[in-house]
Amino acid sequence: MPSALVVGYDPQAIPGVDGKALRAALDAELARFGEHGMDAAMTLIVFDESAESTLVTSLAKRPWDVVVVGGGIRKAEQLLPLFEQVVNLIRRHAPQAAIAFNTSGGDSVEAAQRWL
């Protein structure tokens, strides 16, 4: 069974956003991976000193086939350094994994499928 790690920005850390509702949507998307025959996990990070260790721990759990980087990390200009850090950590700690990008929290499965 192919494996996918979804890396996203922790919705609880986004001011003015209903973090619980967004987390529920992310969890629903994660469940869709199983419906498509993929084993998936999700790692949520924030732009602070914990981002690297959190992501490296998740990357080291298994040899992922694809890592999907969410739009919450990519789209905000002020998070560009975090986006660069994420891509470079994936290259360093999961070199066998393809890197995919979703357009929203609702199409991570399709992003992963493009590279599996």
Side-chain angles (χ1 to χ4, degrees):
M1 178 179 295
S3 61
L5 176 63
V6 179
V7 181
Y9 201 80
D10 187 342
Q12 301 294 339
I14 304 171
V17 170
D18 183 349
K20 288 183 182 182
L22 186 50
R23 178 60 195 256
L26 294 173
D27 288 340
E29 179 66 4
L30 191 62
R32 276 194 340 115
F33 278 89
E35 296 167 10
H36 288 85
M38 291 179 269
D39 185 22
M42 181 172 38
T43 295
L44 300 174
I45 59 175
V46 295
F47 192 23
D48 67 13
E49 65 280 347
S50 70
E52 181 171 353
S53 63
T54 299
L55 183 53
V56 169
T57 297
S58 294
L59 292 169
K61 284 186 179 176
R62 64 181 296 175
W64 301 102
D65 294 311
V66 64
V67 178
V68 179
V69 181
I73 294 172
R74 285 191 337 277
K75 293 180 180 180
E77 187 175 333
Q78 69 270 26
L79 294 180
L80 179 61
L82 177 63
F83 174 55
E84 291 174 338
Q85 180 183 27
V86 166
V87 170
N88 282 295
L89 288 171
I90 295 167
R91 288 183 56 237
R92 190 174 312 131
H93 296 280
Q96 77 291 342
I99 301 173
F101 303 102
N102 65 17
T103 60
S104 72
D107 68 355
S108 295
V109 169
E110 290 76 14
Q113 287 176 322
R114 286 193 297 267
W115 293 98
L116 294 174

